[in-house]
Amino acid sequence: MANILLVANLNCDRVLILDKPLKTGGRFHYQDGGQRLGGGGANTGLGLVWAGHRVALVSQVGRDEMGDWVIAEASTQGLDCRLVQRRAGNTCEMLLVMTPDGERTIIRPQRPVFELSVPPKWQHWDALYFNTSAEGTVSWAKTALDHCLVIAQLAKDDRPRPCHVLLASVSDMHGRCDVASWDYGVSIGGESLRYFVVTDGVRGAKVYTRDDVQHVPAVPAEVVDTTGAGDAYAAGLIHGLCAGKTITEAMAEGAIWAAFAVATDSSIPGEALKHYLEG
């Protein structure tokens, strides 16, 4: 299996379960769903661990008890956290506000600046995945492109993300793309871009290349909690590509992983995905 390096957030999620959908000016009752491990690093990484890959995480947490807990939880579940940086200050909770229809609103603290250190030797890695606003991602990516597969999530702004595979959702693209999607992808991913994958929930996903557009359908699922579905999709896609699948085959694998994710009442992958991978 592959050696995969994830540059992504590691969080402590606090889940608040509302009695009805959110509405401006409304009053709501909630049940406290407690704390759970979350963030793109955990949501993407754990499924890849279950698939048999060696997964290391580059992230940043505070030098406090909650930071200790987050690292211990992730390490216990198989993620290599030796590259997680510790900073002065608290590790603040990420609030996940859940409504009865499975939708969620995320309320997070303003993150302190996270600067990546000297990049590792990329010859030791098969895949590198970026889902972070850390300073230094561009230089890391540029040094990695000739040595391993580089996958990146579209940022919240139009900052460059040099990569071979760029991932985004339709909601990410809203109001941002006024040119052909492939041209927009290249403006972010650079000339090394091979595929620009745009997901659209139950409507599936499209992959744009220089000369073509292909559609891969979603996998039907009963929605319980949509948190982490995009992260699970990315994990399935990375797993497929590392296994030598074509881009559309890897997208189909991502759709399966995302379906398991939305049918699970947590942001990290559930037992159903683990059983699927063991089967």
Side-chain angles (χ1 to χ4, degrees), residues 5-26:
L5 185 62
L6 308 181
V7 187
N9 295 322
L10 191 61
N11 298 334
C12 175
D13 292 345
R14 168 73 68 177
V15 183
L16 305 179
I17 306 169
L18 299 188
D19 60 335
K20 55 187 175 183
L22 282 170
K23 183 179 180 181
T24 302

Side-chain angles (χ1 to χ4, degrees), residues 159-183:
R159 71 184 65 190
R161 280 278 198 264
C163 60
H164 300 116
V165 183
L166 181 64
L167 297 177
S169 67
V170 167
S171 60
D172 292 334
M173 300 287 289
H174 182 68
R176 296 171 59 174
C177 181
D178 56 1
V179 295
S181 293
W182 172 251
D183 292 336

Side-chain angles (χ1 to χ4, degrees), residues 5-11 39-41 44 57-60 85 108 111-116 128-138 140-141 151-157 159-161 231:
L5 185 62
L6 308 181
V7 187
N9 295 322
L10 191 61
N11 298 334
T44 302
L57 180 62
V58 176
S59 191
Q60 183 186 66
Q85 297 181 22
R108 67 175 180 85
R111 296 186 190 277
V113 175
F114 174 30
E115 295 185 8
L116 298 177
L128 168 65
Y129 172 66
F130 288 105
N131 186 12
T132 178
S133 58
E135 300 290 336
T137 56
V138 171
W140 270 39
I151 308 101
Q153 286 281 353
L154 182 70
K156 299 303 181 185
D157 53 27
R159 71 184 65 190
R161 280 278 198 264
D231 295 325

Side-chain angles (χ1 to χ4, degrees), residues 126-129 144 147-151 164-165 194 238 241-242:
D126 300 298
L128 168 65
Y129 172 66
H147 302 285
C148 63
L149 178 67
V150 180
I151 308 101
H164 300 116
V165 183
R194 302 170 189 167
I238 294 168
L241 292 174
C242 288

